[in-house]
Amino acid sequence: MSKHNLENITRDEYPYLNLGLEGIVAFSTTKSFIDGQKGELVYSGYTIDTLAEYATFEEVCFLLWNDRLPSKKELDELNSLLVHERKLPKPVLDYICTTEKHAEPMAVLRSSVSMLADFTDPSLDDTGNAIVMTAKIPTIIAAFARARQGLDVVSPLDEGSTAYNFLYMLNGVRPGAEAEKTMDLCLILHAEHGMNASTFTCRAIASTESDIFSAVTGAVGSLKGPLHGGANTAVMNMLLALESDLKTADPVAFTKEKLEKREKIMGFGHRVYKTFDPRARLLRTMSKSLSEETGHEILYEWSEAILKTMKEEKNIDPNVDFFSATVYYSLGIQPDLYTAIFAMSRISGWTAHYLEQMSNNRLVRPRALYVGDKPKEWTEISDRS
Ligand code: SDX
């Protein structure tokens, strides 16, 4: 596909042309605030550091949906709704267990979320359906992860947190407190991030007054891309490629070689953060301790070497995807599931933005700069070469 030649487009001729909507403020929101210069992230009035220290993922879900923390009664109600909604409709589970074993987990998630719309209770409102998807997405991911290996699907428990149940359904054994806490923290850190590509996609679909399942299906498709949520899997594959040849593994030379070829190092850079992503700071600490506990120190050491090289060569810092890869790997999770785990968390942010869009909607409809041919005479097919 040819790249349009935009070099001769002068800014004063087309003052509003911002490729990738860079720098464009398209919505107002109460869901999160990002200070890209200071490296700060706030969810509806609470810094990510405060939430990481004191909250659970379920409290963050309630916060994003309601712009306030839940009372104990409200949190208990949400937790029991999530437990009640974890099981999948049989046709969805049948699809997951019979689809191509080599299908991409994000493709199976995209199809499954779309199918859920057929089976949801028609009396549920959008918040009710947000809870349904938040409850069912972990079950979808764990079921496919096991079915594709020929393992029995593990049904969700009638108790326990989202993090606890996901690890239980994935591994078939109850996780320890440390593993649950780590997964819960990862879910908090990935829950919401303003107008990222997948949330923008969700809001654009919502703005046509389409349904919440369509908006989330579109968001899953957007998150799948390696420039967005797909980066965490790419980071892990990069580190495993290095590990596959321990004798010659040199993360510094590897990084410099890719940069010389003008290739992107996954897990680095960000459209908004021009300093360390505050989520990466927290994940870096988790990656260090978990890698040491699980005997993957070398992966953490290489990560630090790549980080140092990227700073020295390009003055670029890591984003949320860089250290989340080694954290999930230390939890024993297969690399191609990492983006789906991102979605398992971001469902809270997506649905919060859907609700916000519907509360004060205006159709999303930007313009495009036409750089095609000027109107010309018709040419008969016999005269076309
Ligand atoms: C997420 O938006 C969000 O909030 C997303 C997210 C969320 O929570 O929803 O934070 C999650 O998606 C994080 C990003 C995950 N993606 C990756 O890690 C993929 C690698 N990163 C890059 O593709 C890039 O940094 C982007 C896409 C994230 C941001 O790209 P921009 O803002 O369009 O910047 P750019 O591509 O124009 O890069 C500017 C310069 C270029 O150098 P020059 O051509 O000017 O010399 O920085 C360089 C780029 O080459 N650069 C990189 C780089 N990222 C930017 N060089 C090497 N490796 C990289 N990763």
Side-chain angles (χ1 to χ4, degrees):
M1 187 172 68
S2 71
K3 262 188 180 300
H4 292 150
N5 174 10
L6 297 176
E7 269 64 50
N8 60 351
I9 302 290
T10 58
R11 185 63 71 197
D12 53 7
E13 269 181 289
Y14 302 96
Y16 302 111
L17 174 62
N18 288 59
L19 293 180
L21 296 180
E22 183 155 9
I24 297 294
V25 180
F27 302 92
S28 64
T29 183
T30 60
K31 304 309 168 188
S32 62
F33 168 68
I34 303 169
D35 185 322
Q37 301 307 322
K38 292 184 191 160
E40 289 172 4
L41 173 58
V42 175
Y43 291 175
S44 298
Y46 296 88
T47 68
I48 196 71
D49 298 88
T50 300
L51 295 171
E53 181 162 357
Y54 298 109
T56 64
F57 173 60
E58 289 78 10
E59 280 179 300
V60 166
C61 291
F62 188 99
L63 171 66
L64 292 172
W65 290 330
N66 300 282
D67 291 335
R68 64 177 176 82
L69 288 171
S71 64
K72 182 169 182 336
K73 181 172 178 291
E74 289 168 324
L75 184 58
D76 290 346
E77 278 169 8
L78 175 58
N79 280 323
S80 58
L81 276 172
L82 288 168
V83 166
H84 176 71
E85 286 295 352
R86 281 199 181 114
K87 281 193 172 42
L88 298 177
K90 187 176 181 314
V92 178
L93 188 55
D94 289 348
Y95 155 70
I96 291 167
C97 294
T98 56
T99 193
E100 173 53 55
K101 301 297 176 227
H102 303 294
E104 292 178 281
M106 281 294 276
V108 172
L109 178 61
R110 187 187 60 216
S111 304
S112 302
V113 165
S114 185
M115 282 176 75
L116 287 179
D118 298 0
F119 305 96
T120 194
D121 176 349
S123 68
L124 281 180
D125 63 10
D126 289 332
T127 303
N129 281 318
I131 293 169
V132 163
M133 286 187 274
T134 304
K136 288 175 165 43
I137 285 176
T139 313
I140 291 167
I141 299 165
F144 178 64
R146 292 184 67 86
R148 68 175 179 175
Q149 299 175 81
L151 300 171
D152 290 341
V153 170
V154 175
S155 298
L157 298 165
D158 291 336
E159 32 98 22
S161 66
T162 301
Y164 187 90
N165 259 277
F166 174 66
L167 292 172
Y168 169 69
M169 293 186 288
L170 187 67
N171 301 319
V173 291
R174 288 173 176 268
E178 191 58 30
E180 179 190 12
K181 177 70 192 141
T182 300
M183 179 50 70
D184 190 67
L185 182 46
C186 287
L187 294 178
I188 291 170
L189 295 177
H190 286 81
E192 157 61 11
H193 210 243
M195 213 36 63
N196 57 84
S198 55
T199 299
F200 176 84
T201 304
C202 177
R203 286 194 82 139
I205 295 171
S207 79
T208 70
E209 297 185 5
S210 185
D211 66 291
I212 196 167
F213 290 94
S214 297
V216 171
T217 302
V220 171
S222 172
L223 185 73
K224 183 172 181 288
L227 293 189
H228 189 11
N232 51 20
T233 294
V235 170
M236 200 64 235
N237 291 338
M238 172 177 71
L239 293 170
L240 292 175
L242 275 169
E243 192 183 44
S244 64
D245 194 352
L246 274 177
K247 287 191 295 303
T248 63
D250 179 344
V252 175
F254 167 84
T255 304
K256 287 183 176 176
E257 192 183 315
K258 277 180 82 76
L259 292 177
E260 271 151 31
K261 290 191 273 184
R262 295 188 66 74
E263 291 176 15
K264 297 272 173 70
I265 305 288
M266 294 290 121
F268 284 88
H270 200 277
R271 177 64 61 80
V272 178
Y273 289 121
K274 298 311 168 195
T275 183
F276 223 96
D277 183 328
R279 302 166 297 176
R281 188 167 24 80
L282 293 162
L283 287 159
R284 183 186 197 181
T285 306
M286 293 159 69
S287 171
K288 182 175 191 321
S289 56
L290 277 168
S291 302
E292 288 163 359
E293 283 166 33
T294 55
H296 296 121
E297 296 91 335
I298 191 72
L299 296 178
Y300 176 76
E301 285 160 23
W302 285 345
S303 298
E304 287 292 342
I306 294 169
L307 185 154
K308 184 168 178 290
T309 308
M310 283 298 282
K311 194 65 182 172
E312 289 165 356
E313 298 294 317
K314 299 278 285 192
N315 191 27
I316 292 180
D317 291 294
N319 57 50
V320 68
D321 289 303
F322 189 60
F323 286 108
S324 59
T326 41
V327 168
Y328 294 144
Y329 192 74
S330 299
L331 287 175
I333 299 173
Q334 296 162 309
D336 70 347
L337 296 177
Y338 297 176
T339 310
I341 292 173
F342 196 146
M344 184 166 98
S345 164
R346 190 53 60 87
I347 181 65
S348 56
W350 291 333
T351 47
H353 279 273
Y354 180 94
L355 297 172
E356 187 171 58
Q357 184 69 27
M358 297 312 254
S359 69
N360 180 21
N361 186 33
R362 182 151 175 74
L363 179 69
V364 172
R365 205 283 184 215
R367 297 293 305 275
L369 171 67
Y370 177 69
V371 291
D373 291 346
K374 300 258 186 295
K376 49 193 172 183
E377 295 302 317
W378 176 254
T379 309
E380 288 302 332
I381 193 158
S382 54
D383 298 334
R384 295 172 216 157
S385 60

